[in-house]
Structure formats: C-alpha cells, structure tokens
C-alpha cells in the first residue's frame, strides 16, 4: 500500500457517493414529473395549463410548499451522506497513511482510531459559511427558487407539459452537479486533513516532509501545476499568489479549492516514492516519479 493506492481507494468511495447523489436526484425528478403530469391532467384545458388556472385556490403556493418539504427531506439525507463520506475519507486516510509511515520508518507508531467527535471537529471548515450545513441549506434554497421560477415562467408562457418537464429536468441536473461537486471537494479536504493528522502523529517517531502532489493530467489548473512537488515551508504552509494553505482544499479561496484533485505526499526520512500515476484518456499508467513540469515537458516532446 502506498499513498497513490490510498488516493485511488478514496476516489472509489467518492465515486460511489456521487452515484448515490445522482440516484437521489433521479428519484426526485421522477416524483416532480409525476406531480407536474397530475397538474396538467387536473387543471389544463386542451393541454394548456395557465397561470390563472394554477393561481385559483392557491394551487401554485400549495404545490410549491409540498415540493419545498420534499426537497428539505432530500437535502437532509444528502447532508448525512456527504458527512458520512467525509468521516470515512478522514479515517481511511488517517489509518492507512499511518500504516504506510510505519512501513517506511520500519517502526511501530501506535495509532488509534479517533473518536467520532474528534473527527467531526477536525473536518469542520473553519470558515462558517463554508461548513457543510449552511452550504447544503444554500444549495437547497437555490433549487427551490429555481423550480419556482421555472414552473412560473412555463405557466406564464403557456408551455405544454414536455416543455415544463424539460425545465425541471435541467434544474435537477444542475442541482445534482452542484451536490456532487460539494461531495468531492469536501471528501478531498477531509482526505488531506486525515493524512496531515496521521503525519503529525508519525512525526513523533520519524522525520517527515510535506510535499504538494497534483494529478498528472492536462486538466490540472495552472496554480496546482506550479505547486506540484513543492515542499511546505517551516510552518507547514504552501504559498501561491499571495495565499497560503497547509494543503490542498485549505486555501479558503474558491478558485484554488473547488474541484481540486491534489493531495499531500509525505516523505519519510526524506525518501521520495519511486513511482507515480499519470492519467490518460484511456485510463492511467504508473511511471517513474517526476514533478508535474518535468512530466508535462516530456508529454509535449512525445507529441
């Protein structure tokens, strides 16, 4: 087991969580389509459902209140799933990284499983508005507003069922995308925090150096290409563009954190890994260890 394999394991966990998120929104979309179909069946005239028809007897407000309640339940479950993913990412990286450090140092380091309370405290975002609960509340309120607007505009425009259904589908797909992005970003942040805490414990028994590790492919943002293979300063920080962070996902700056696929690599007693994984259109390959810029230069020469 090396840090590349640990990262791959966490990626599989995130992929599984994203599939569950897609399933949740697919179920909600089906329910919304059924609800809209029923509205057209009950209140439309020759296939046309108008704004005055839906405003009678507060029909529109009642429907939106039901949709709001259903989405509230969805996002409550979504919060629990993402929090569970964050905890699993943290614990897996903490313990598996510990095994790796023990192997590299050839000495026991006496790791113990952290308590759930300690893990939740460790993975909590220090920026209040970016903690998971307000973030999910913000996303939930956005999708409720958007569905309200899409249905209202369809009614005012005299659109048929298929046009309104397409509007709702687009809204749900976008909400699913945003939820997946939160899940991947928060799992990545928890993963880094778990590895950092594991290394903090290991430093009682061996010398460790923290190095930024970007993904080797053409989709990595320029800032992270530059950071790749850089060692943290004496206080444990990486620096870019006037910002500093203890690791990936931790700048507190959206353009540097969101959808980041980087990680930290710890050199035990100064030893760099011998191999590294590159991502290609056809999958991935294991190659001799090299910094991003060296890899990218070789890629351009080959093409």
């Amino acid at each position: 087991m090396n840090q590349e394999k640990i990262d791959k394991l966490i990626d599989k966990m995130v992929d599984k969580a994203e599939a569950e998120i897609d399933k949740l929104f697919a179920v909600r979309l089906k329910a919304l389509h059924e609800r809209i179909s029923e509205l057209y069946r009950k209140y439309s005239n020759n296939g046309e459902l108008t704004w005055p028809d839906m405003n009678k007897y507060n029909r529109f407000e009642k429907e939106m209140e039901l949709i709001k309640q259903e989405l509230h339940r969805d996002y409550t479950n979504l919060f629990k799933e993402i929090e569970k993913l964050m905890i699993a990412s943290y614990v897996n990286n903490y313990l598996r990284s510990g095994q790796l450090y023990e192997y590299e140092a050839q000495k026991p380091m006496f790791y113990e499983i952290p308590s759930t309370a300690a893990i939740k405290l460790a993975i909590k975002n220090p920026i209040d508005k970016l903690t998971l609960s307000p973030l999910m509340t913000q996303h939930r309120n956005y999708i409720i507003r958007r569905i309200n607007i899409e249905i209202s505009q369809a009614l005012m425009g005299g659109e048929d069922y298929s046009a309104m259904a397409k509007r709702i589908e687009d809204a749900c797909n976008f909400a699913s995308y945003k939820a997946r992005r939160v899940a991947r970003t928060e799992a990545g942040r928890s993963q880094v925090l778990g590895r950092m805490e594991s290394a903090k414990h290991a430093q009682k028994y061996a010398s460790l150096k923290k190095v930024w590790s970007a993904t080797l492919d053409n989709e990595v943002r320029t800032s992270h290409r530059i950071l790749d293979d850089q060692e943290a300063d004496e206080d444990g920080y990486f620096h870019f563009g006037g910002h500093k962070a203890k690791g990936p996902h931790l700048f507190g700056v959206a353009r540097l954190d969101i959808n980041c696929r980087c990680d930290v690599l710890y050199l035990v007693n100064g030893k760099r890994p011998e191999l590294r994984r590159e991502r290609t259109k056809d999958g991935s390959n294991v190659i001799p260890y090299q910094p991003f810029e060296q890899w990218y230069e070789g890629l351009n020469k080959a093409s």
Side-chain angles (χ1 to χ4, degrees):
M1 178 70 70
N2 56 32
Q3 293 190 77
E4 287 275 351
K5 289 182 179 178
I6 296 172
D7 293 344
K8 195 170 183 180
L9 175 68
I10 303 297
D11 282 343
K12 288 182 179 179
M13 291 169 53
V14 175
D15 289 342
K16 183 178 178 181
E18 287 184 332
E20 289 300 316
I21 290 171
D22 284 340
K23 181 179 177 181
L24 181 149
F25 280 100
V27 170
R28 178 52 48 220
L29 177 60
K30 181 181 178 182
L32 285 169
H33 278 174
E34 290 173 351
R35 186 179 296 281
I36 293 168
S37 176
E38 183 67 7
L39 291 177
Y40 273 86
R41 188 188 69 80
K42 283 184 176 180
Y43 308 121
S44 68
N45 184 12
N46 294 323
E48 182 180 355
L49 183 62
T50 66
W51 180 253
D53 289 332
M54 281 302 296
N55 259 339
K56 287 180 182 178
Y57 315 114
N58 293 322
R59 289 168 182 162
F60 180 78
E61 288 78 5
K62 291 175 182 176
E63 286 299 324
M64 283 307 306
E65 183 58 33
L66 288 172
I67 291 171
K68 180 179 178 180
Q69 291 174 10
E70 290 165 353
L71 283 168
H72 179 77
R73 287 194 295 270
D74 287 341
Y75 273 83
T76 298
N77 293 331
L78 189 58
F79 172 88
K80 292 176 182 176
E81 285 300 314
I82 295 178
E83 184 180 56
K84 186 166 68 175
L85 172 64
M86 292 168 67
I87 291 172
S89 297
Y90 182 95
V91 172
N92 267 277
N93 225 320
Y94 179 83
L95 295 176
R96 292 179 185 275
S97 294
Q99 290 178 333
L100 178 61
Y101 303 147
E102 287 182 333
Y103 175 79
E104 292 292 337
Q106 289 296 293
K107 61 174 68 174
M109 296 181 177
F110 310 104
Y111 280 87
E112 295 180 357
I113 300 176
S115 69
T116 301
I119 295 168
K120 287 186 177 182
L121 182 62
I123 63 179
K124 183 180 179 182
N125 198 311
I127 303 174
D128 286 341
K129 67 180 181 180
L130 295 182
T131 55
L132 188 59
S133 181
L135 203 56
M136 286 292 95
T137 299
Q138 176 188 340
H139 285 199
R140 182 199 67 208
N141 292 342
Y142 169 83
I143 185 61
I144 290 170
R145 286 197 303 272
R146 179 162 175 184
I147 288 175
N148 187 311
I149 291 169
E150 296 295 352
I151 293 177
S152 299
Q153 290 182 343
L155 290 170
M156 291 177 182
E159 296 177 5
D160 61 14
Y161 165 77
S162 61
M164 185 184 288
K166 181 62 170 63
R167 284 175 175 268
I168 300 303
E169 182 177 351
D170 290 344
C172 284
N173 287 342
F174 184 67
S176 181
Y177 162 76
K178 291 185 73 173
R180 291 198 310 273
R181 186 172 66 178
V182 170
R184 185 164 289 276
T185 300
E186 290 304 296
R189 191 173 62 82
S190 301
Q191 178 180 351
V192 169
L193 290 169
R195 181 165 294 171
M196 287 169 52
E197 191 62 25
S198 185
K200 181 180 178 181
H201 177 84
Q203 284 172 335
K204 300 173 185 176
Y205 306 93
S207 172
L208 273 70
K209 285 186 178 180
K210 184 168 58 175
V211 174
W212 189 286
S213 180
T215 301
L216 292 187
D217 65 22
N218 286 322
E219 296 179 7
V220 178
R221 66 197 80 182
T222 302
S223 55
H224 295 176
R225 293 182 181 189
I226 294 170
L227 282 164
D228 183 64
D229 203 49
Q230 287 191 23
E231 294 184 6
D233 66 19
E234 60 183 10
D235 296 317
Y237 285 97
F238 298 99
H239 298 262
F240 182 83
H243 302 285
K244 67 178 183 179
K246 288 288 183 76
H249 306 275
L250 303 178
F251 279 103
V253 179
R255 63 184 173 84
L256 296 174
D257 289 345
I258 292 177
N259 274 345
C260 173
R261 296 172 298 139
C262 300
D263 209 327
V264 285
L265 176 70
Y266 279 92
L267 312 182
V268 181
N269 297 327
K271 183 181 178 183
R272 266 181 166 75
E274 296 179 358
L275 302 173
R276 190 171 186 183
R277 187 174 297 276
E278 65 172 351
R279 296 181 186 269
T280 66
K281 293 180 180 178
D282 302 321
S284 63
N285 300 311
V286 175
I287 59 174
Y289 186 88
Q290 54 199 277
F292 188 96
E293 292 302 332
Q294 181 184 340
W295 170 82
Y296 191 67
E297 183 179 344
L299 195 68
N300 287 335
K301 285 181 178 178
S303 60

